[in-house]
Amino acid sequence: MSQPSQHTTSAVLDAARPAVRAVGLRKTYGRGDAVVHALDGVDVEFARGEFTAIMGPSGSGKSTLMHCLAGLDTASAGQVFLGDTELTALGDRELTRLRRERVGFVFQSFNLLPVLDAAENMLLPMRLAGRTPDPAWHDDVVRRLGLTERLTHRPHELSGGQQQRVAVARALLPRPDVVFADEPTGNLDSRAGAEVLSLLRGSVREVGQTVVMVTHDPVAASYADRVVLIADGRLAGGLTKPTPDDVLDALRTLGA
Ligand code: ADP
């Protein structure tokens, strides 16, 4: 058998390297009697091209974990890596740049700017970074997300589902290393929520996007390839190819 070329070897290594990983991650709020160990030593990896849901009881540390993984919050101890880059070693300015260039966000409340139309909202993070998307990729994202007829509409002229699809397009256009979604269906009815989840899953299956989503909804989690469970600031197991019932059972075991 012939030796793999240097190129093939590095491509294989690249695919094997997790998109995001946390090592001994701790986050403490308050001090003395009022101290809260929101994250109490979390070791976790998120593979490239995988859709992972983070789930756990209310107050278990899901949002804190996502915020630390995305560089939106600082850790008290431990390390976070985005690919080879240690986020926990970066200063504020480098972190802002990294978030802008390598991370996409989808929030529960859409976070679109009301004075900009859909097309401008979608492009804003790239404009801020002085970049323009590849036109073919831009058209592909707009078409996939069913936004072709909505580009000149402002957020108040769009339904919640359409606004969240604009937010998903905004997250996908820069081709970030990871898209972090924080309760992306929390403000949507079940049909619009299912559409947004299908689009996130499609971005993983069809273009190899990595997506990490926090949700409390077992149906939303069932769109993911994997569920990571967290309880009391610690990893509490996981599920692969979960059904809503699998997720409900796992949450019940955690006392959620
Ligand atoms: P979840 O997202 O699973 O509901 P969080 O990550 O929001 O959980 O919170 C984990 C724990 O950290 C909870 O006990 C919460 O009260 C606490 N916590 C979160 N943010 C803060 C903060 N800014 N100040 C103090 N405590 C906080």
PDB file of all heavy atoms in Angstrom, residues 29-30 36-39 56-65 214 230, ligand 1:
ATOM      1  N   TYR A  29     -18.666  31.897  40.598  1.00  0.00           N
ATOM      2  CA  TYR A  29     -19.257  33.221  40.816  1.00  0.00           C
ATOM      3  C   TYR A  29     -19.286  33.487  42.310  1.00  0.00           C
ATOM      4  O   TYR A  29     -19.524  32.576  43.099  1.00  0.00           O
ATOM      5  CB  TYR A  29     -20.693  33.280  40.288  1.00  0.00           C
ATOM      6  CG  TYR A  29     -20.810  33.192  38.783  1.00  0.00           C
ATOM      7  CD1 TYR A  29     -21.329  32.048  38.184  1.00  0.00           C
ATOM      8  CD2 TYR A  29     -20.422  34.248  37.975  1.00  0.00           C
ATOM      9  CE1 TYR A  29     -21.456  31.969  36.799  1.00  0.00           C
ATOM     10  CE2 TYR A  29     -20.543  34.174  36.592  1.00  0.00           C
ATOM     11  CZ  TYR A  29     -21.060  33.035  36.020  1.00  0.00           C
ATOM     12  OH  TYR A  29     -21.180  32.952  34.656  1.00  0.00           O
ATOM     13  N   GLY A  30     -19.107  34.728  42.690  1.00  0.00           N
ATOM     14  CA  GLY A  30     -19.195  35.112  44.108  1.00  0.00           C
ATOM     15  C   GLY A  30     -18.018  34.563  44.906  1.00  0.00           C
ATOM     16  O   GLY A  30     -17.084  33.983  44.348  1.00  0.00           O
ATOM     17  N   VAL A  36     -20.579  30.185  44.068  1.00  0.00           N
ATOM     18  CA  VAL A  36     -21.304  29.221  43.218  1.00  0.00           C
ATOM     19  C   VAL A  36     -20.295  28.636  42.228  1.00  0.00           C
ATOM     20  O   VAL A  36     -19.633  29.379  41.506  1.00  0.00           O
ATOM     21  CB  VAL A  36     -22.428  29.922  42.419  1.00  0.00           C
ATOM     22  CG1 VAL A  36     -23.104  28.925  41.472  1.00  0.00           C
ATOM     23  CG2 VAL A  36     -23.460  30.546  43.343  1.00  0.00           C
ATOM     24  N   HIS A  37     -20.185  27.303  42.244  1.00  0.00           N
ATOM     25  CA  HIS A  37     -19.307  26.641  41.276  1.00  0.00           C
ATOM     26  C   HIS A  37     -20.143  26.305  40.046  1.00  0.00           C
ATOM     27  O   HIS A  37     -20.669  25.197  39.927  1.00  0.00           O
ATOM     28  CB  HIS A  37     -18.698  25.377  41.890  1.00  0.00           C
ATOM     29  CG  HIS A  37     -17.834  25.667  43.075  1.00  0.00           C
ATOM     30  ND1 HIS A  37     -16.593  26.245  42.946  1.00  0.00           N
ATOM     31  CD2 HIS A  37     -18.055  25.513  44.391  1.00  0.00           C
ATOM     32  CE1 HIS A  37     -16.067  26.412  44.140  1.00  0.00           C
ATOM     33  NE2 HIS A  37     -16.929  25.984  45.050  1.00  0.00           N
ATOM     34  N   ALA A  38     -20.278  27.285  39.153  1.00  0.00           N
ATOM     35  CA  ALA A  38     -21.135  27.086  37.976  1.00  0.00           C
ATOM     36  C   ALA A  38     -20.560  25.994  37.078  1.00  0.00           C
ATOM     37  O   ALA A  38     -21.305  25.207  36.500  1.00  0.00           O
ATOM     38  CB  ALA A  38     -21.284  28.392  37.205  1.00  0.00           C
ATOM     39  N   LEU A  39     -19.233  25.960  36.934  1.00  0.00           N
ATOM     40  CA  LEU A  39     -18.555  24.853  36.233  1.00  0.00           C
ATOM     41  C   LEU A  39     -17.483  24.320  37.170  1.00  0.00           C
ATOM     42  O   LEU A  39     -16.643  25.073  37.668  1.00  0.00           O
ATOM     43  CB  LEU A  39     -17.918  25.326  34.926  1.00  0.00           C
ATOM     44  CG  LEU A  39     -18.869  25.851  33.854  1.00  0.00           C
ATOM     45  CD1 LEU A  39     -18.086  26.359  32.639  1.00  0.00           C
ATOM     46  CD2 LEU A  39     -19.863  24.775  33.426  1.00  0.00           C
ATOM     47  N   GLY A  56     -29.277  19.858  30.392  1.00  0.00           N
ATOM     48  CA  GLY A  56     -29.166  19.587  31.827  1.00  0.00           C
ATOM     49  C   GLY A  56     -30.226  20.375  32.548  1.00  0.00           C
ATOM     50  O   GLY A  56     -30.868  21.258  31.954  1.00  0.00           O
ATOM     51  N   PRO A  57     -30.422  20.100  33.834  1.00  0.00           N
ATOM     52  CA  PRO A  57     -31.435  20.832  34.596  1.00  0.00           C
ATOM     53  C   PRO A  57     -31.143  22.329  34.616  1.00  0.00           C
ATOM     54  O   PRO A  57     -30.003  22.754  34.367  1.00  0.00           O
ATOM     55  CB  PRO A  57     -31.303  20.246  36.012  1.00  0.00           C
ATOM     56  CG  PRO A  57     -30.575  18.954  35.839  1.00  0.00           C
ATOM     57  CD  PRO A  57     -29.724  19.091  34.627  1.00  0.00           C
ATOM     58  N   SER A  58     -32.155  23.116  34.926  1.00  0.00           N
ATOM     59  CA  SER A  58     -31.969  24.556  35.050  1.00  0.00           C
ATOM     60  C   SER A  58     -30.911  24.838  36.128  1.00  0.00           C
ATOM     61  O   SER A  58     -30.920  24.205  37.184  1.00  0.00           O
ATOM     62  CB  SER A  58     -33.320  25.169  35.422  1.00  0.00           C
ATOM     63  OG  SER A  58     -33.166  26.539  35.578  1.00  0.00           O
ATOM     64  N   GLY A  59     -29.998  25.737  35.839  1.00  0.00           N
ATOM     65  CA  GLY A  59     -28.948  26.086  36.801  1.00  0.00           C
ATOM     66  C   GLY A  59     -27.772  25.123  36.819  1.00  0.00           C
ATOM     67  O   GLY A  59     -26.870  25.235  37.643  1.00  0.00           O
ATOM     68  N   SER A  60     -27.741  24.157  35.864  1.00  0.00           N
ATOM     69  CA  SER A  60     -26.673  23.143  35.890  1.00  0.00           C
ATOM     70  C   SER A  60     -25.362  23.661  35.301  1.00  0.00           C
ATOM     71  O   SER A  60     -24.321  23.020  35.460  1.00  0.00           O
ATOM     72  CB  SER A  60     -27.125  21.900  35.121  1.00  0.00           C
ATOM     73  OG  SER A  60     -27.478  22.233  33.790  1.00  0.00           O
ATOM     74  N   GLY A  61     -25.407  24.806  34.585  1.00  0.00           N
ATOM     75  CA  GLY A  61     -24.170  25.360  34.041  1.00  0.00           C
ATOM     76  C   GLY A  61     -24.098  25.363  32.527  1.00  0.00           C
ATOM     77  O   GLY A  61     -23.047  25.675  31.951  1.00  0.00           O
ATOM     78  N   LYS A  62     -25.210  25.067  31.849  1.00  0.00           N
ATOM     79  CA  LYS A  62     -25.205  24.985  30.377  1.00  0.00           C
ATOM     80  C   LYS A  62     -24.778  26.302  29.728  1.00  0.00           C
ATOM     81  O   LYS A  62     -23.899  26.332  28.875  1.00  0.00           O
ATOM     82  CB  LYS A  62     -26.617  24.648  29.846  1.00  0.00           C
ATOM     83  CG  LYS A  62     -27.203  23.378  30.369  1.00  0.00           C
ATOM     84  CD  LYS A  62     -28.566  23.091  29.750  1.00  0.00           C
ATOM     85  CE  LYS A  62     -29.675  24.039  30.186  1.00  0.00           C
ATOM     86  NZ  LYS A  62     -30.039  23.935  31.595  1.00  0.00           N
ATOM     87  N   SER A  63     -25.440  27.399  30.151  1.00  0.00           N
ATOM     88  CA  SER A  63     -25.125  28.694  29.533  1.00  0.00           C
ATOM     89  C   SER A  63     -23.703  29.106  29.859  1.00  0.00           C
ATOM     90  O   SER A  63     -22.986  29.624  28.995  1.00  0.00           O
ATOM     91  CB  SER A  63     -26.073  29.784  30.028  1.00  0.00           C
ATOM     92  OG  SER A  63     -27.377  29.392  29.809  1.00  0.00           O
ATOM     93  N   THR A  64     -23.307  28.882  31.097  1.00  0.00           N
ATOM     94  CA  THR A  64     -21.941  29.242  31.493  1.00  0.00           C
ATOM     95  C   THR A  64     -20.934  28.478  30.634  1.00  0.00           C
ATOM     96  O   THR A  64     -19.953  29.051  30.149  1.00  0.00           O
ATOM     97  CB  THR A  64     -21.720  28.941  32.988  1.00  0.00           C
ATOM     98  OG1 THR A  64     -22.737  29.591  33.739  1.00  0.00           O
ATOM     99  CG2 THR A  64     -20.360  29.401  33.453  1.00  0.00           C
ATOM    100  N   LEU A  65     -21.198  27.182  30.429  1.00  0.00           N
ATOM    101  CA  LEU A  65     -20.286  26.374  29.606  1.00  0.00           C
ATOM    102  C   LEU A  65     -20.218  26.947  28.198  1.00  0.00           C
ATOM    103  O   LEU A  65     -19.129  27.157  27.648  1.00  0.00           O
ATOM    104  CB  LEU A  65     -20.760  24.913  29.588  1.00  0.00           C
ATOM    105  CG  LEU A  65     -19.965  23.971  28.681  1.00  0.00           C
ATOM    106  CD1 LEU A  65     -18.484  23.923  29.090  1.00  0.00           C
ATOM    107  CD2 LEU A  65     -20.559  22.556  28.695  1.00  0.00           C
ATOM    108  N   VAL A 214     -27.186  24.997  23.063  1.00  0.00           N
ATOM    109  CA  VAL A 214     -27.773  24.807  24.391  1.00  0.00           C
ATOM    110  C   VAL A 214     -29.285  24.813  24.237  1.00  0.00           C
ATOM    111  O   VAL A 214     -29.839  25.692  23.569  1.00  0.00           O
ATOM    112  CB  VAL A 214     -27.346  25.945  25.351  1.00  0.00           C
ATOM    113  CG1 VAL A 214     -28.213  25.949  26.601  1.00  0.00           C
ATOM    114  CG2 VAL A 214     -25.889  25.796  25.733  1.00  0.00           C
ATOM    115  N   ILE A 230     -25.132  17.823  31.438  1.00  0.00           N
ATOM    116  CA  ILE A 230     -24.387  18.492  32.485  1.00  0.00           C
ATOM    117  C   ILE A 230     -25.308  18.631  33.706  1.00  0.00           C
ATOM    118  O   ILE A 230     -26.505  18.859  33.571  1.00  0.00           O
ATOM    119  CB  ILE A 230     -23.821  19.832  31.962  1.00  0.00           C
ATOM    120  CG1 ILE A 230     -23.125  20.629  33.024  1.00  0.00           C
ATOM    121  CG2 ILE A 230     -24.814  20.687  31.272  1.00  0.00           C
ATOM    122  CD1 ILE A 230     -22.236  21.721  32.433  1.00  0.00           C
TER     123      ILE A 230
HETATM  124  P1  ADP B   1     -28.178  26.883  33.075  1.00  0.00           P
HETATM  125  O1  ADP B   1     -27.823  27.555  31.795  1.00  0.00           O
HETATM  126  O2  ADP B   1     -27.941  25.395  33.042  1.00  0.00           O
HETATM  127  O3  ADP B   1     -29.550  27.201  33.553  1.00  0.00           O
HETATM  128  P2  ADP B   1     -26.235  28.715  34.222  1.00  0.00           P
HETATM  129  O4  ADP B   1     -24.985  28.418  33.497  1.00  0.00           O
HETATM  130  O5  ADP B   1     -27.019  29.901  33.795  1.00  0.00           O
HETATM  131  O6  ADP B   1     -27.167  27.406  34.204  1.00  0.00           O
HETATM  132  O7  ADP B   1     -25.929  28.874  35.776  1.00  0.00           O
HETATM  133  C1  ADP B   1     -25.150  27.946  36.532  1.00  0.00           C
HETATM  134  C2  ADP B   1     -25.071  28.421  37.967  1.00  0.00           C
HETATM  135  O8  ADP B   1     -24.304  29.631  38.024  1.00  0.00           O
HETATM  136  C3  ADP B   1     -26.421  28.716  38.594  1.00  0.00           C
HETATM  137  O9  ADP B   1     -26.376  28.364  39.956  1.00  0.00           O
HETATM  138  C4  ADP B   1     -26.534  30.218  38.433  1.00  0.00           C
HETATM  139  O10 ADP B   1     -27.365  30.775  39.434  1.00  0.00           O
HETATM  140  C5  ADP B   1     -25.088  30.658  38.588  1.00  0.00           C
HETATM  141  N1  ADP B   1     -24.795  31.903  37.856  1.00  0.00           N
HETATM  142  C6  ADP B   1     -24.854  32.068  36.520  1.00  0.00           C
HETATM  143  N2  ADP B   1     -24.490  33.314  36.173  1.00  0.00           N
HETATM  144  C7  ADP B   1     -24.194  33.968  37.333  1.00  0.00           C
HETATM  145  C8  ADP B   1     -23.747  35.291  37.655  1.00  0.00           C
HETATM  146  N3  ADP B   1     -23.525  36.204  36.701  1.00  0.00           N
HETATM  147  N4  ADP B   1     -23.561  35.585  38.961  1.00  0.00           N
HETATM  148  C9  ADP B   1     -23.767  34.658  39.923  1.00  0.00           C
HETATM  149  N5  ADP B   1     -24.174  33.402  39.692  1.00  0.00           N
HETATM  150  C10 ADP B   1     -24.394  33.043  38.412  1.00  0.00           C
END
